[in-house]
Amino acid sequence: MRRNQHLPLTETTYYILLALLKTNHGYAIMQDVETMSEGEVRIAAGTMYGAIENLLKLGWIIAVPSTDSRRKMYHITPIGKSILALETERIRKLSTLASQFDF
């Protein structure tokens, strides 16, 4: 089976897609990523908004209406969920393989 051309995802992209399983805005996504990664991944504002633009172009996320005109809200699409699931499975396989070795 051929691997999806978009895999592997960057760690940042993976965390952003996870964060967007619930509708959220950029700053909250940045906070969620830092929390999920236990402070190991911090996304700068420029990186965040560049990633958002890229994910929008790929169709992995969509902008959703917001009651707060100051904040743009985003949510993962079915395509984005599919990519996230493929990457999660890839990571699980790597983890299973690595667990068979002593190091």
Side-chain angles (χ1 to χ4, degrees):
M1 186 167 131
R2 281 186 58 222
R3 181 188 294 186
N4 184 289
Q5 67 178 349
H6 297 290
L7 299 182
L9 298 179
T10 65
E11 189 174 20
T12 299
T13 298
Y14 187 78
Y15 276 115
I16 291 170
L17 290 175
L18 281 175
L20 287 174
L21 287 168
K22 64 178 185 196
T23 301
N24 230 330
H25 58 87
Y27 183 70
I29 296 166
M30 291 164 53
Q31 292 177 314
D32 286 351
V33 168
E34 189 170 343
T35 299
M36 284 188 286
S37 70
E38 299 177 341
E40 290 187 18
V41 177
R42 290 184 170 168
I43 304 174
T47 301
M48 177 76 233
Y49 292 104
I52 290 288
E53 287 303 313
N54 188 45
L55 294 170
L56 286 166
K57 286 178 188 173
L58 288 168
W60 297 0
I61 66 171
I62 56 169
V64 295
S66 172
T67 57
D68 185 345
S69 62
R70 298 172 297 147
R71 292 189 172 144
K72 292 183 180 178
M73 302 293 285
Y74 305 96
H75 194 79
I76 194 168
T77 64
I79 295 167
K81 284 183 183 179
S82 175
I83 293 292
L84 185 60
L86 287 170
E87 180 67 349
T88 300
E89 183 58 27
R90 187 188 74 79
I91 292 167
R92 283 186 181 133
K93 286 179 182 178
L94 286 173
S95 178
T96 299
L97 176 63
S99 70
Q100 298 172 19
F101 294 89
D102 293 323
F103 53 92

